[in-house]
Amino acid sequence: NAGVTQTPKFQVLKTGQSMTLQCAQDMNHEYMSWYRQDPGMGLRLIHYSVGAGITDQGEVPNGYNVSRSTTEDFPLRLLSAAPSQTSVYFCASSRGRGNQPQHFGDGTRLSIL
Amino acid sequence: AQTVTQSQPEMSVQEAETVTLSCTYDTSESDYYLFWYKQPPSRQMILVIRQEAYKQQNATENRFSVNFQKAAKSFSLKISDSQLGDAAMYFCAYRSWGGSQGNLIFGKGTKLSVKP
């Protein structure tokens, strides 16, 4: 049981490049989310999904796209990377709502030069 | 919109002593959930404890307990018998009861150091 798997763990991009951060979970969870963590800011929600084919924006969605074609996968796309997107990115999943805890991946450290 | 505030950017505790981390939140909802997450240097996000707002009894998990004051919108975390492995960032988080969004709203975190 792998839980939530994020790839890659580290990535360096140049401004203007595009890339996709991968997230996969094997727990059959309905909810999946992407957060970014910046120093002194805690974690902020980028996009989330309540099930396959359904996504919505969080607090800081600009510059990011998501899709959810399967229950297991929830990739995050940076269309044209900017230095302001330098951050640590976390994917999380949970079973429905309520007090079910979110299970987090190990994070991706992304640097945009 | 809900907000979560952690007013202590850094805290320090002596090994084997007790420390309390503060968290306040703002919401107009009556039903919700509160969580404390631990993030060690490995960067993993680890659930420490959770509390349902409708429960008056404070949650406890081994050495970790909370003081949940609903009227005051306060949710502090007490760590007893602190251990070196407790050194980490601690995040308080809020989650709405219902609606289409079941995601977490985080505070900015408190960095806990444990002195041997």
Side-chain angles (χ1 to χ4, degrees):
Chain A
N1 189 350
V4 179
T5 302
Q6 287 185 240
T7 56
K9 295 191 183 304
F10 302 94
Q11 185 70 46
V12 179
L13 292 178
K14 293 181 180 178
T15 297
Q17 287 186 316
S18 63
M19 82 159 295
T20 299
L21 306 185
Q22 301 290 344
C23 176
Q25 52 92 7
D26 60 0
M27 297 171 282
N28 199 31
H29 284 170
E30 300 169 18
Y31 277 83
M32 296 188 74
S33 310
W34 277 102
Y35 296 87
R36 60 178 287 174
Q37 182 179 21
D38 301 298
M41 294 295 294
L43 280 75
R44 294 180 292 169
L45 183 66
I46 304 172
H47 285 284
Y48 66 97
S49 169
V50 301
I54 306 170
T55 63
D56 206 345
Q57 296 179 352
E59 179 185 355
V60 287
N62 291 341
Y64 308 94
N65 275 358
V66 293
S67 60
R68 184 129 178 243
S69 56
T70 67
T71 299
E72 294 77 20
D73 300 301
F74 190 44
L76 178 72
R77 298 182 185 87
L78 282 71
L79 303 177
S80 178
S84 61
Q85 294 178 303
T86 293
S87 188
V88 178
Y89 292 84
F90 286 95
C91 179
S93 72
S94 65
R95 187 182 305 280
R97 307 167 186 171
N99 71 344
Q100 296 302 311
Q102 293 205 340
H103 298 258
F104 285 83
D106 290 339
T108 296
R109 181 175 293 279
L110 182 62
S111 295
I112 314 297
L113 303 179
Chain B
Q2 297 83 19
T3 59
V4 176
T5 302
Q6 294 179 249
S7 59
Q8 306 153 316
E10 296 187 20
M11 291 282 286
S12 181
V13 63
Q14 204 72 32
E15 194 176 7
E17 297 293 309
T18 296
V19 65
T20 298
L21 308 184
S22 300
C23 173
T24 59
Y25 57 93
D26 188 27
T27 184
S28 59
E29 299 175 332
S30 57
D31 292 317
Y32 47 87
Y33 304 92
L34 296 165
F35 304 84
W36 277 99
Y37 278 87
K38 170 185 177 181
Q39 187 181 43
S42 66
R43 206 169 67 195
Q44 287 180 299
M45 292 291 289
I46 303 166
L47 178 67
V48 174
I49 200 166
R50 55 185 154 177
Q51 175 80 43
E52 294 87 347
Y54 65 85
K55 290 186 178 179
Q56 293 184 342
Q57 185 173 7
N58 290 325
T60 299
E61 290 286 344
N62 300 314
R63 298 182 296 106
F64 298 88
S65 62
V66 299
N67 183 6
F68 173 50
Q69 301 290 328
K70 190 173 183 180
K73 297 180 182 176
S74 172
F75 183 60
S76 60
L77 174 70
K78 186 172 80 172
I79 306 174
S80 304
D81 186 25
S82 296
Q83 302 175 358
L84 295 178
D86 295 333
M89 284 290 292
Y90 286 82
F91 292 97
C92 179
Y94 174 103
R95 185 171 188 172
S96 295
W97 174 275
S100 61
Q101 182 175 344
N103 297 292
L104 296 170
I105 299 170
F106 286 89
K108 295 183 177 181
T110 296
K111 183 177 182 179
L112 178 66
S113 301
V114 181
K115 298 178 181 178

CSV table of all heavy atoms in Angstrom, one decimal, chain B residues 51-59 68-70:
chain,number,residue,atom,x,y,z
B,51,GLN,N,-10.1,16.8,16.0
B,51,GLN,CA,-11.2,17.1,16.9
B,51,GLN,C,-12.4,17.5,16.1
B,51,GLN,O,-12.3,18.3,15.2
B,51,GLN,CB,-10.8,18.3,17.8
B,51,GLN,CG,-11.9,18.9,18.7
B,51,GLN,CD,-12.0,18.0,20.0
B,51,GLN,OE1,-11.1,17.6,20.6
B,51,GLN,NE2,-13.3,17.8,20.4
B,52,GLU,N,-13.5,16.9,16.4
B,52,GLU,CA,-14.8,17.3,15.8
B,52,GLU,C,-15.4,18.4,16.7
B,52,GLU,O,-15.4,18.3,17.9
B,52,GLU,CB,-15.8,16.1,15.7
B,52,GLU,CG,-15.3,15.0,14.8
B,52,GLU,CD,-14.4,14.0,15.5
B,52,GLU,OE1,-13.9,14.3,16.6
B,52,GLU,OE2,-14.2,12.9,14.9
B,53,ALA,N,-15.9,19.5,16.0
B,53,ALA,CA,-16.4,20.6,16.8
B,53,ALA,C,-17.6,20.3,17.6
B,53,ALA,O,-17.9,20.9,18.7
B,53,ALA,CB,-16.8,21.7,15.8
B,54,TYR,N,-18.4,19.2,17.2
B,54,TYR,CA,-19.6,18.9,18.0
B,54,TYR,C,-19.3,18.1,19.3
B,54,TYR,O,-20.1,17.9,20.1
B,54,TYR,CB,-20.6,18.1,17.1
B,54,TYR,CG,-20.1,16.8,16.7
B,54,TYR,CD1,-20.2,15.7,17.5
B,54,TYR,CD2,-19.5,16.6,15.4
B,54,TYR,CE1,-19.8,14.4,17.1
B,54,TYR,CE2,-19.1,15.4,15.0
B,54,TYR,CZ,-19.2,14.3,15.8
B,54,TYR,OH,-18.8,13.0,15.4
B,55,LYS,N,-18.0,17.7,19.4
B,55,LYS,CA,-17.6,16.9,20.6
B,55,LYS,C,-17.1,17.9,21.6
B,55,LYS,O,-16.1,18.6,21.4
B,55,LYS,CB,-16.6,15.9,20.2
B,55,LYS,CG,-17.1,14.7,19.4
B,55,LYS,CD,-16.1,13.6,19.2
B,55,LYS,CE,-16.6,12.4,18.5
B,55,LYS,NZ,-15.6,11.4,18.2
B,56,GLN,N,-17.6,17.8,22.8
B,56,GLN,CA,-17.1,18.6,23.9
B,56,GLN,C,-15.8,18.1,24.5
B,56,GLN,O,-15.0,18.8,25.0
B,56,GLN,CB,-18.2,18.8,25.0
B,56,GLN,CG,-19.4,19.6,24.5
B,56,GLN,CD,-20.4,19.8,25.6
B,56,GLN,OE1,-20.4,19.1,26.7
B,56,GLN,NE2,-21.3,20.8,25.5
B,57,GLN,N,-15.7,16.8,24.4
B,57,GLN,CA,-14.5,16.1,25.0
B,57,GLN,C,-13.3,16.4,24.2
B,57,GLN,O,-13.3,16.3,23.0
B,57,GLN,CB,-14.7,14.6,25.2
B,57,GLN,CG,-13.6,13.9,25.9
B,57,GLN,CD,-13.9,12.5,26.1
B,57,GLN,OE1,-14.9,12.0,25.7
B,57,GLN,NE2,-13.1,11.8,26.9
B,58,ASN,N,-12.2,16.8,24.8
B,58,ASN,CA,-11.0,17.1,24.1
B,58,ASN,C,-10.3,15.8,23.7
B,58,ASN,O,-10.2,14.8,24.4
B,58,ASN,CB,-10.0,17.9,25.1
B,58,ASN,CG,-10.4,19.3,25.3
B,58,ASN,OD1,-11.0,19.9,24.5
B,58,ASN,ND2,-10.2,19.8,26.5
B,59,ALA,N,-9.8,15.8,22.5
B,59,ALA,CA,-9.1,14.7,21.9
B,59,ALA,C,-7.8,14.4,22.6
B,59,ALA,O,-7.1,15.4,22.9
B,59,ALA,CB,-9.0,14.8,20.4
B,68,PHE,N,-9.7,22.3,23.4
B,68,PHE,CA,-10.7,22.9,22.4
B,68,PHE,C,-11.7,23.8,23.1
B,68,PHE,O,-12.5,23.3,24.0
B,68,PHE,CB,-11.4,21.7,21.7
B,68,PHE,CG,-12.4,22.2,20.7
B,68,PHE,CD1,-12.2,23.2,19.8
B,68,PHE,CD2,-13.7,21.6,20.8
B,68,PHE,CE1,-13.2,23.6,19.0
B,68,PHE,CE2,-14.7,22.0,19.9
B,68,PHE,CZ,-14.5,23.0,19.0
B,69,GLN,N,-11.7,25.0,22.8
B,69,GLN,CA,-12.6,26.0,23.4
B,69,GLN,C,-13.4,26.6,22.2
B,69,GLN,O,-13.0,27.5,21.6
B,69,GLN,CB,-11.8,27.1,24.1
B,69,GLN,CG,-10.9,26.6,25.3
B,69,GLN,CD,-11.7,26.1,26.4
B,69,GLN,OE1,-12.8,26.6,26.7
B,69,GLN,NE2,-11.2,25.1,27.1
B,70,LYS,N,-14.6,26.0,22.0
B,70,LYS,CA,-15.4,26.4,20.8
B,70,LYS,C,-15.8,27.8,20.9
B,70,LYS,O,-15.7,28.5,19.9
B,70,LYS,CB,-16.6,25.4,20.7
B,70,LYS,CG,-17.3,25.6,19.4
B,70,LYS,CD,-18.4,24.6,19.2
B,70,LYS,CE,-19.0,24.7,17.8
B,70,LYS,NZ,-20.1,23.7,17.6
